[in-house]
Amino acid sequence: MPEQELQVAERHDVHATAFCQFPGTDPLAIHEVVRGELGEPNLAVFPQLPDRGVGADAVGRSAALLADLGFDLQPHGWRIGVTDGIDARRARSILRSDENLLADVLGAEARPAQRLKLTLLGPWTLAASLYLPNGERVISDHGARRDVVESYAHGAREQLDRLARITSLADFTIQLDEPLLGDVLDGTISTASGYRTLRSIPRAEVRSSYEQFFKVLGGDSQGQRVASLLNLPTQDEHWIKRVDLLHQAGAGAMVIDPSGLTHRKWERVAGLVEGGDRVFLQVLAPSERAPGVVEAVNSILRPWRQLGLGLGQLGALTLMPRGDFSRSSSAQAIENLQRLASYAQALEQTRVDA
């Protein structure tokens, strides 16, 4: 992998993690869940609580990372290119408060964790969700979308530096959610008026912007380890093309929902594993009846073996819930994470015994 691309975490054991969205408005209570259920060797997350309202939503929270770009909230959505409005200041304040709380929680632990997974909107989903002062979407203007992606990359890099400075963290996994990337590439994003769609963005531009995004995230890391994780809708009929595009740009891991995978998509997953990438596999919905360990492990090993992958390659797997916990109770989240951790432990033992 070229030097400008993100480093991939050199861990080869199976562990569990989660999406970062949790219910309620009390971040300290959620930290207790996360630290209690996703401690080492599992991968803890930086919680997000969208129930806190404006500024805690996915777009507002990601926009709060924009470096040297002001924004505010209008009836049609978040707008950039203006002086920070009251809602923007609230979004930035929530984010800083969450960072400081994380530092306090980790500082109180006898053995603070070294690793953390954060979730952000992918740069193209964010650009497609933001608006220009004239009311049109950012992706409609080449210069504006370039500036937003660049500003976002530097803002995310600055957040990693802040977290490394105020905590013991040195190993970050950045999950980039890109639910709108397919629409951006296919030209199916509506204009502000809704009467037509915006022109599709060239694949070469998307790939180049992601290469630069990864370069900024992984650059000047001061001893940090930063791994990229892309989350794309697996139900997208062009999912393989999207994966290949981001893989070429330097993505080192993918979130995979097996319910959306055809045989061809499974074969592409196998190719990722054989190429050294990591797979974050969604295996249990928060509201789903949890199968026993043997049943769950066999349901994972069955397609694994059918694809010709060896048990020694199970270290490419990280287990995740099938969906976030934003509409779940704390009890449901705890039970789900406990089950996932037990599945991961059993898979890891299977790998070790192979």
Side-chain angles (χ1 to χ4, degrees):
M1 185 177 290
E3 290 183 358
Q4 71 269 23
E5 295 172 359
L6 290 178
Q7 303 172 31
V8 178
E10 295 177 1
R11 291 189 65 90
H12 302 289
D13 53 336
V14 186
H15 51 266
T17 190
F19 288 95
C20 295
Q21 294 79 18
F22 286 82
T25 59
D26 183 355
L28 182 57
I30 297 302
H31 272 293
E32 293 177 357
V33 173
V34 170
R35 307 309 306 174
E37 308 305 330
L38 289 178
E40 295 287 347
N42 296 307
L43 179 57
V45 300
F46 186 25
Q48 298 179 14
L49 281 67
D51 288 345
R52 288 181 290 181
V54 173
D57 61 289
V59 178
R61 189 173 180 90
S62 294
L65 291 175
L66 292 172
D68 303 319
L69 272 181
F71 66 110
D72 66 5
L73 184 60
Q74 296 295 308
H76 55 276
W78 292 98
R79 177 182 65 168
I80 65 161
V82 295
T83 302
D84 275 2
I86 186 172
D87 296 310
R89 293 193 294 273
R90 183 173 191 272
R92 296 191 197 272
S93 176
I94 289 174
L95 185 60
R96 296 296 185 276
S97 176
D98 285 352
E99 292 171 354
N100 291 330
L101 178 59
L102 175 67
D104 292 342
V105 169
L106 293 184
E109 294 182 348
R111 294 182 59 190
Q114 298 295 306
R115 303 188 298 142
L116 186 74
K117 182 165 80 70
L118 302 87
T119 293
L120 309 174
L121 285 182
W124 285 98
T125 292
L126 180 63
S129 303
L130 296 174
Y131 293 84
L132 298 168
N134 64 9
E136 195 49 87
R137 295 181 188 270
V138 163
I139 59 168
S140 67
D141 183 278
H142 180 272
R145 60 186 186 247
R146 178 197 60 214
D147 291 346
V148 163
V149 173
E150 180 180 349
S151 169
Y152 192 36
H154 285 283
R157 175 68 260 171
E158 290 170 3
Q159 182 185 42
L160 297 184
D161 289 339
R162 282 196 305 273
L163 290 176
R165 186 171 61 252
I166 65 176
T167 71
S168 58
L169 297 168
D171 189 332
F172 297 99
T173 297
I174 310 298
Q175 178 177 319
L176 298 169
D177 290 341
E178 282 282 19
L180 298 182
L181 180 63
D183 294 312
V184 167
L185 288 165
D186 294 342
T188 55
I189 299 285
S190 298
T191 59
S193 67
Y195 290 117
R196 61 183 181 87
T197 56
L198 295 170
R199 183 178 304 175
S200 62
I201 306 299
R203 287 171 56 87
E205 182 181 341
V206 171
R207 182 175 61 249
S208 175
S209 70
Y210 251 110
E211 289 173 350
Q212 184 62 28
F213 193 88
F214 290 154
K215 180 179 179 180
V216 172
L217 271 187
D220 193 23
S221 58
Q222 302 175 0
Q224 300 167 26
R225 295 162 56 80
V226 184
S228 63
L229 171 61
L230 271 293
N231 182 23
L232 308 174
T234 51
Q235 292 77 11
D236 182 353
E237 62 178 320
H238 300 300
W239 180 80
I240 294 176
K241 291 182 179 179
R242 322 294 193 207
V243 168
D244 289 344
L245 177 67
L246 296 177
H247 184 76
Q248 292 164 11
M254 292 286 169
V255 175
I256 304 296
D257 180 357
S259 65
L261 294 184
T262 61
H263 182 69
R264 284 189 64 243
K265 291 176 180 178
W266 268 119
E267 289 181 334
R268 186 66 189 95
V269 172
L272 293 174
V273 172
E274 291 171 341
D277 287 3
R278 294 190 63 84
V279 170
F280 284 62
L281 189 69
Q282 299 178 61
V283 298
L284 180 65
S287 59
E288 182 182 351
R289 181 193 70 82
V293 173
V294 173
E295 180 184 349
V297 167
N298 285 337
S299 71
I300 295 170
L301 292 179
R302 192 175 303 112
W304 195 260
R305 291 188 176 108
Q306 289 172 347
L307 291 168
L309 295 170
L311 296 181
Q313 294 171 292
L314 286 170
L317 280 181
T318 297
L319 303 187
M320 292 181 64
R322 186 173 289 134
D324 63 50
F325 294 122
S326 58
R327 304 273 68 89
S328 304
S329 67
S330 293
Q332 287 175 318
I334 290 171
E335 182 181 1
N336 186 286
L337 292 175
Q338 287 176 343
R339 288 287 187 168
L340 286 175
S342 67
Y343 301 162
Q345 185 177 17
L347 284 168
E348 173 59 12
Q349 191 60 52
T350 300
R351 183 192 70 83
V352 171
D353 293 341

